[in-house]
Amino acid sequence: FIPRGMVVSGDIKSGGNLCVEGEVYGDVYIDGTLELRGSIKGKHIKVGRVELDSGIIESDIECDDYISVGEGVTILGNVSATNADIDGAVSGDLTVLERVHVGGTAVIKGKVKAGEIMVELGAVCEVGIENASQEGKAAQFFENYLKERATNN
C-alpha cells in the first residue's frame, strides 16, 4: 500500500496486490491486482489485473487479465489486456484479446484492436478500429460480393 502523500522513486516488484494512492516514479511488476487512486510514471507496468478508480498513469500497461479504467483516470501509454472496461481517458493503443467495453464517459485516442468492441453513446473516440477475431472477414465479404456481382452482370 502506498498512501496519499508518499512518493516512491524506483521500480516495484511483488507477487501480491498493490494499492497506490500516492505517487510512483518507476516501473511496476506485480502478479496480483493494481488499484490506483494516485499516479504512476514509468515505462512499463505488468500486472495480473487492474482496477483504476482515479489518477494518472504515464506508462505502457500489460495486463494478464482484466483492466477497468474508471471515469476519473487518465492513461498516457499503450494498454494490453484480455478484457477491458474503459470509462476514463486513454491516449495510446488499446489491444484487448477478447472484449472491450467503451463507456459513455470514455475518451480514447489511438488504435483499438479487440475481439469484440462495444461503444456506448457519448464516448469520444479518435481511433482506428481492428477486430482481432474477425481479421480479414470484411475484405473477404466484399471480395465475394464483387465476384458474385460480376458473375450476375
Side-chain angles (χ1 to χ4, degrees):
F1 177 71
I2 299 171
R4 182 168 295 147
M6 179 180 276
V7 177
V8 175
S9 295
D11 296 346
I12 297 175
K13 296 179 184 180
S14 172
N17 300 329
L18 176 64
C19 179
V20 176
E21 293 184 0
E23 299 175 47
V24 174
Y25 294 93
D27 297 342
V28 176
Y29 303 94
I30 61 172
D31 295 332
T33 299
L34 171 65
E35 294 180 40
L36 180 73
R37 292 176 214 76
S39 67
I40 300 174
K41 294 179 183 179
K43 293 180 184 172
H44 192 78
I45 297 172
K46 181 165 179 12
V47 295
R49 183 177 176 92
V50 181
E51 297 183 15
L52 308 174
D53 296 324
S54 62
I56 299 171
I57 292 183
E58 294 181 17
S59 175
D60 290 343
I61 301 172
E62 180 183 349
C63 179
D64 295 333
D65 186 21
Y66 167 78
I67 183 168
S68 171
V69 179
E71 187 175 345
V73 176
T74 299
I75 297 174
L76 304 174
N78 299 321
V79 177
S80 67
T82 303
N83 289 288
D85 286 319
I86 311 295
D87 292 301
V90 177
S91 178
D93 295 344
L94 183 61
T95 304
V96 180
L97 295 176
E98 293 177 8
R99 182 192 62 83
V100 61
H101 174 260
V102 180
T105 58
V107 178
I108 301 176
K109 181 178 180 184
K111 295 178 190 171
V112 176
K113 181 176 183 177
E116 296 177 16
I117 302 169
M118 179 182 155
V119 180
E120 287 185 10
L121 185 64
V124 176
C125 300
E126 292 181 19
V127 298
I129 296 177
E130 191 174 323
N131 191 316
S133 66
Q134 304 293 320
E135 206 164 289
K137 287 191 177 183
Q140 185 65 45
F141 171 85
F142 286 109
E143 184 178 313
N144 291 340
Y145 171 79
L146 293 172
K147 282 181 185 177
E148 185 178 314
R149 191 173 108 189
T151 304
N152 292 335
N153 287 334

